[in-house]
Amino acid sequence: MALKAIIMAAGKGTRMKSNTSKVMHLAHGKPIVKRIIEALNSLEVEENILILGHKKEQILEYFGNDISYVVQEEQLGTGHAVLQAKGKLAGYDGDVIILNGDVPLLRAKTLKELYTLYLENKVDGIILTANFENPFSYGRILTEAGKVTGIVEEKDATEEQKKIKEVNAGVYIFKAQDLLYALDRIDNKNEKGEYYLTDVIKILSQAGKKVISHSLEDSMEIQGVNSKVELALTSKVLRDRKNNKLMESGVILIDPNTTYIDDEVIIGMDSIIYPNVIIQGNTEIGENCEILPNTRIMDSKIYSNVRIESSVIEESIIEDGATIGPFAHLRPKSHLKENVHIGNFVETKKSTLEKGVKAGHLTYLGDAHIGEKTNIGAGTITCNYDGKNKFKTVIGKNVFIGSDTMLVAPVTIGDSAVTGAGSVITKDVPNNALGVERAKQIIKEGWKKENE
């Protein structure tokens, strides 16, 4: 069993009114065409061939060398698009699945079912269809004795054919050599003057080949994205799918309509996600957590029994029992150990806070390591940047950092030490010592210029 895929992604997408390629717009946080490729991966496709055209450089920049592609210089129809892949199919004796690159709601499960039916029925082709009460604008499926004999486009259909409710969903599977045979015989004698891929069905039927159809249960799957309105519509469907899956696994979403959770996110049982929360990327959240309103979490690992309120978490690790916010900002490489408390208007970056550390408010902790049960007073700043280089601050266990302390790195504060409020600490403070220091006044003119 060998299968290749052809993904049509060359269209201009003029109704999107955008400088971004239509298939590179984000549907629920992920490029539309990437969703198509991920769905195809469930079939173990040996090669995904993208038909590129308009703004192809954006797609190539995103995927790099991870894709196979051909270019359709002129958009002369879907048949003409697929014909551009002729060289990729020369001598290939397997099967080909063809689909549009702008249908992000198409499920992997649907594609598996389609391919399984194709193999089990030992046919020469199969097409995915849907049934609509009002099928306006869709190609109608023509059948005879259980076989599909053709597809007629809306503009070319007779009044009688327009009454047909089974329509083309735009996904096809053929034997590669049968497809090439038919593509060589299509023409553009139609209302639009284009080479239709759908004409392949008629040509194969006339050649004695058997093509069947498989109808979708959920016709929403074939919803294409041709405008920003349709992009929002499909994104909402994808968001609802993810939210429903989470709730079925035991997560509590107070208001799913205002909760935005990316596909890859994992959340444990009995965690509560409040309205206006955004959770993105490869984020994992444990059990019994509370994520309160106006929080955004990206690419982070959060253990269990954590409470986060109105805060931003980026590429960070938060261990059991930690509490964060409101209005905290954990920048990349922040690591909060068990029962750490980060309060309002506290920012951390590339710092590790050991078990039981508290930083209640108005504090910046960058490039720092802070020992267990240390208390960081309000207004504390680790001065880690001298204008050229970053330096580290090390604070020991059970330390009390007085309010408004400036820790000028590199500097080390020993275990059980105390710093006086308002101090500017430029020298190491030993264990169990009191550190009190004030900055010397610099009055020399031109000092900054001389030291740049």
Side-chain angles (χ1 to χ4, degrees):
M1 182 179 73
L3 181 65
K4 291 189 177 186
I6 294 176
I7 304 167
M8 292 184 285
K12 291 184 177 180
T14 52
R15 281 194 283 155
M16 291 297 287
K17 299 190 186 307
S18 176
N19 291 321
T20 299
S21 165
K22 178 173 74 168
V23 299
M24 288 303 296
H25 276 83
L26 302 183
H28 185 46
K30 191 178 296 183
I32 294 169
V33 69
K34 184 178 181 181
R35 288 189 174 277
I36 302 300
I37 292 172
E38 288 179 350
L40 285 166
N41 286 342
S42 66
L43 299 179
E44 299 181 1
V45 174
E46 65 179 68
E47 183 181 15
N48 289 310
I49 305 165
L50 270 71
I51 312 295
L52 303 182
H54 186 64
K55 298 188 182 295
K56 63 181 182 295
E57 65 281 352
Q58 294 179 2
I59 301 170
L60 295 175
E61 181 180 0
Y62 181 85
F63 287 102
N65 297 321
D66 293 337
I67 61 167
S68 173
Y69 71 96
V70 295
V71 178
Q72 184 188 20
E73 297 293 352
E74 289 185 275
Q75 276 73 58
L76 302 177
T78 52
H80 178 260
V82 175
L83 193 57
Q84 306 312 300
K86 186 175 181 178
K88 297 276 188 181
L89 301 179
Y92 172 65
D93 198 34
D95 302 317
V96 180
I97 182 169
I98 306 167
L99 66 170
N100 296 314
D102 65 351
V103 282
L105 300 182
L106 195 60
R107 300 175 190 264
K109 174 176 173 286
T110 299
L111 296 180
K112 282 183 180 180
E113 288 176 355
L114 188 69
Y115 193 39
T116 298
L117 285 170
Y118 167 83
L119 295 173
E120 288 179 348
N121 285 277
K122 298 179 180 180
V123 292
D124 302 298
I126 191 169
I127 63 172
L128 190 65
T129 65
N131 285 278
F132 289 124
E133 282 302 313
N134 180 16
F136 178 76
S137 83
Y138 284 96
R140 308 306 202 276
I141 304 300
L142 307 179
T143 60
E144 184 178 320
K147 296 190 296 183
V148 179
T149 58
I151 301 174
V152 59
E153 299 298 330
E154 172 81 25
K155 289 187 176 181
D156 301 303
T158 65
E159 290 304 314
E160 192 63 28
Q161 289 170 334
K162 288 179 181 180
K163 296 177 182 178
I164 297 172
K165 299 187 185 304
E166 187 179 17
V167 302
N168 179 24
V171 183
Y172 318 80
I173 302 176
F174 302 110
K175 291 180 172 63
Q177 296 309 308
D178 286 347
L179 173 64
L180 293 178
Y181 167 86
L183 287 173
D184 284 339
R185 288 161 175 78
I186 62 175
D187 58 44
N188 63 346
K189 296 176 182 178
N190 52 62
E191 182 70 23
K192 294 179 71 175
E194 293 183 351
Y195 296 89
Y196 292 151
L197 177 61
T198 49
D199 286 349
V200 165
I201 309 296
K202 180 180 179 180
I203 293 167
L204 291 180
S205 179
Q206 291 175 342
K209 302 290 184 178
K210 184 177 181 180
V211 179
I212 62 173
S213 66
H214 172 56
S215 187
L216 277 166
E217 291 181 12
D218 178 9
S219 59
M220 192 67 188
E221 286 191 53
I222 65 169
Q223 174 65 54
V225 176
N226 296 294
S227 69
K228 300 288 177 56
V229 172
E230 291 174 344
L231 180 64
L233 173 64
T234 54
S235 290
K236 185 180 187 307
V237 173
L238 291 164
R239 187 164 65 249
D240 289 345
R241 286 181 186 176
K242 175 63 178 179
N243 288 348
N244 289 340
K245 186 176 180 181
L246 286 170
M247 289 187 287
E248 287 166 1
S249 69
V251 179
I252 300 169
L253 303 183
I254 300 298
D255 181 8
N257 289 325
T258 58
T259 306
Y260 304 83
I261 304 174
D262 280 358
D263 290 347
E264 287 76 17
V265 173
I266 298 170
I267 305 178
M269 284 192 309
D270 294 323
S271 283
I272 305 174
I273 313 299
Y274 282 77
N276 298 325
V277 167
I278 300 171
I279 308 175
Q280 299 172 300
N282 295 310
T283 293
E284 184 174 346
I285 299 175
E287 297 182 356
N288 299 303
C289 292
E290 272 191 292
I291 312 298
L292 282 88
N294 305 315
T295 293
R296 183 161 64 101
I297 304 172
M298 294 155 285
D299 298 317
S300 296
K301 183 173 177 60
I302 297 167
Y303 290 45
S304 296
N305 302 300
V306 171
R307 187 178 192 273
I308 303 173
E309 182 175 3
S310 303
S311 296
V312 177
I313 316 293
E314 305 172 275
E315 299 174 30
S316 296
I317 299 172
I318 303 168
E319 296 193 17
D320 292 339
T323 56
I324 299 166
F327 315 122
H329 185 185
L330 271 61
R331 290 167 56 195
K333 298 183 180 178
S334 294
H335 187 167
L336 277 54
K337 300 288 184 73
E338 293 178 33
N339 300 317
V340 166
H341 171 64
I342 293 292
N344 49 289
F345 302 107
V346 174
E347 180 180 349
T348 65
K349 188 272 296 182
K350 201 176 180 181
S351 294
T352 298
L353 281 62
E354 297 290 347
K355 183 177 179 180
V357 169
K358 291 180 172 59
H361 25 243
L362 303 166
T363 291
Y364 171 68
L365 302 171
D367 297 281
H369 184 278
I370 303 172
E372 291 184 10
K373 297 183 179 179
T374 284
N375 186 85
I376 307 295
T380 296
I381 296 175
T382 56
C383 307
N384 56 330
Y385 183 49
D386 68 358
K388 292 182 181 179
N389 300 297
K390 297 286 182 69
F391 296 99
K392 189 169 184 177
T393 298
V394 177
I395 303 174
K397 301 177 182 178
N398 300 301
V399 173
F400 186 91
I401 302 295
S403 296
D404 230 12
T405 296
M406 306 292 112
L407 298 163
V408 182
V411 68
T412 299
I413 310 298
D415 293 346
S416 300
V418 175
T419 66
S423 292
V424 180
I425 304 296
T426 61
K427 298 177 182 178
D428 293 350
V429 178
N431 294 345
N432 303 300
L434 170 64
V436 179
E437 188 178 358
R438 298 291 183 268
K440 295 179 181 179
Q441 186 178 12
I442 297 173
I443 59 174
K444 182 180 177 182
E445 292 183 6
W447 174 84
K448 184 176 180 181
K449 184 176 181 181
E450 290 176 8
N451 288 274
E452 286 180 342

